[in-house]
Amino acid sequence: MVKEIARFSPKITTLADGTDALLHMTDLIGEEPGPMVGISASVHGNENCGSQAILDLYRILKDMKIKGTIRLLPVVNAGAMVVNSRFNPIDQRDLNREFPGDPNGTFSQQLAAAVTKDFLGVIDAHIDLHSGTDRPTVDYVYFLNDEKLSRAFGSKLLYRPDDGKQGTKFGGTTKDVTMPRGIPAAVIELGGGVVDQGPYIERIIKGVLNMLRQLGAIEGEVEAAPSQVVVNEIAGIRPTKGGWVEPLSPPLGGEMKKGDPLFRVVSPYTFEVLEEAVCPFDRGIMIMGHLTRNIVEAGDYGWMVGNMEGATS
Ligand SMILES: [Zn+2]
């Protein structure tokens, strides 16, 4: 049993309908001293696997012996989650490009500032749960500043981004707060797609519990990771035309040769093949893809392929 469960909901701002926009957090406070580990999900509102996993983790963790405090922020971007959108509907911004935020800015910038003040700016370690959406499915973990922590999640595939490139391409993510603070941080990408999310949510729960062991927040031996592949380069391949996208790639984690098919886009109206995409690397590994035939627009998230050249274990 935890010593105390404390809920608090700081106000972000006032909405036009007169209600308060709140950030809902729950602290599971242990009997013994230890780190404050923050677990967050749904920074992107259309990636709710992590929010579901945090609900289940809450039910498990509240009856466990905890060292320190586990601060749960199950839904970072509530307004985006309820409309199943990556972007917040008030300002159409991507919250995960706005950190550390601005208390005098747009809604997403104010939300980012509130998350920085009461969550990212005070925790001692951060686990951020992302997933695919209701279209593509994804399965990998980022290396940020604590490789042991990232490995403890137990995914087969990990990604060590080239920092310069990553910084330019994806500024304003939660790591823009956690990395300068020097706290261990990991970003998980698991789940999504038009398939049963149950197995992915189970894996998130198992992986996060192992990370909590690694951080010393709960008792027990850290489970050894399976054999892992660390890629340094990922190619994002998006459909450039809209229509039915039909997957032709191996399952996630599967390997391919250069030129092996990834997907084709077919017109729902004329049945013509509009586009075919292939593996860009001599040896590629599947990180993200659509698992079923789905409707896509030009430029939608499609496939991600890791480069096995230069990959390490
Ligand atoms: Zn995301």
Side-chain angles (χ1 to χ4, degrees), residues 173-252:
T173 68
T174 53
K175 79 177 168 66
D176 283 29
V177 181
T178 54
M179 303 272 277
R181 290 191 62 230
I183 63 166
V187 173
I188 313 298
E189 296 274 358
L190 180 60
V194 193
V195 293
D196 178 17
Q197 296 299 296
Y200 297 122
I201 290 162
E202 284 301 315
R203 272 185 56 199
I204 297 170
I205 294 164
K206 189 168 174 274
V208 170
L209 287 173
N210 206 43
M211 293 169 95
L212 290 173
R213 281 182 218 113
Q214 174 72 38
L215 289 164
I218 59 173
E219 288 182 333
E221 286 284 305
V222 180
E223 269 178 48
S227 93
Q228 295 180 317
V229 175
V230 183
V231 297
N232 304 305
E233 185 182 8
I234 294 179
I237 299 132
R238 300 183 182 214
T240 63
K241 296 187 171 65
W244 290 120
V245 69
E246 294 185 325
L248 303 168
S249 51
L252 299 185

Side-chain angles (χ1 to χ4, degrees), residues 156-157 229 231 233 235 237 250-251 253-260 262 278-287 304-309 311:
K156 179 186 166 188
L157 238 138
V229 175
V231 297
E233 185 182 8
I237 299 132
E255 292 194 34
M256 294 159 290
K257 299 189 305 292
K258 192 170 199 149
D260 282 353
L262 293 177
V278 298
C279 174
F281 300 124
D282 286 339
R283 280 175 66 212
I285 188 161
M286 276 290 295
I287 291 176
M304 281 166 63
V305 177
N307 189 355
M308 289 295 283
E309 292 297 321

Side-chain angles (χ1 to χ4, degrees), residues 134-153:
D134 58 356
R135 300 292 167 80
T137 307
V138 69
D139 189 349
Y140 72 107
V141 174
Y142 276 89
F143 273 165
L144 295 177
N145 56 4
D146 188 329
E147 300 203 352
K148 271 190 170 170
L149 180 65
S150 290
R151 284 185 190 276
F153 185 76

